[in-house]
Amino acid sequence: QVQLVESGGGLVQAGGSLRLSCTASGRTFSSYTMGWFRQAPGKEREFVAWVNWSGSSTTYKASVKGRFTISRDNVKNTVYLQMNSLKPEDTAVYTCAAKYGGYSDSGSQYDYWGQGTQVTVSS
């Protein structure tokens, strides 16, 4: 069982930055691919980024590539999402998720989910 707790959301102006954190319980954090997903009001949940178990491989949604960076610290059991040059269309609830084994950008493949943190970008 893995429990995930996100933090770092908030209100920011367009062009600003936020760093989200997601801390996991349990001793096997490094066994999991970690992903970030987001859901805007009235829209379906969408993939944002994942990082593999070691942090050596990452993948991003096309619209955030070059602006967002996902990383992890396996000593602290934490995954991060650094978000720069934020746009109003990035406004959503951001949720981290853990997938045992190989990586995926499909939310249905993830085993554990956090409760989400709200990110609001004003224009």
Side-chain angles (χ1 to χ4, degrees):
Q1 188 78 5
V2 176
Q3 292 185 324
L4 305 173
V5 179
E6 300 98 336
S7 60
L11 173 64
V12 63
Q13 288 188 333
S17 299
L18 281 174
R19 187 176 82 154
L20 306 183
S21 301
C22 171
T23 300
S25 64
R27 305 180 195 176
T28 59
F29 177 72
S30 60
S31 299
Y32 291 85
T33 290
M34 297 301 296
W36 284 97
F37 294 79
R38 69 186 183 186
Q39 186 167 19
K43 295 187 177 181
E44 293 188 353
R45 182 180 63 198
E46 62 179 10
F47 164 77
V48 176
W50 60 250
V51 59
N52 74 334
W53 69 274
S54 66
S56 63
S57 183
T58 58
T59 293
Y60 298 92
K61 173 180 174 63
S63 63
V64 308
K65 196 171 184 179
R67 299 188 297 121
F68 291 10
T69 302
I70 188 171
S71 62
R72 67 190 295 161
D73 184 333
N74 287 343
V75 173
K76 295 182 178 180
N77 279 13
T78 301
V79 61
Y80 304 98
L81 186 68
Q82 177 67 45
M83 305 185 294
N84 299 328
S85 301
L86 282 160
K87 304 175 181 180
E89 52 264 42
D90 294 318
T91 295
V93 174
Y94 285 70
T95 306
C96 70
K99 179 186 182 305
Y100 186 77
Y103 24 89
S104 173
D105 59 6
S106 172
S108 64
Q109 300 296 311
Y110 283 74
D111 303 298
Y112 302 101
W113 293 82
Q115 82 288 353
T117 185
Q118 176 70 46
V119 171
T120 303
V121 184
S122 63
S123 57

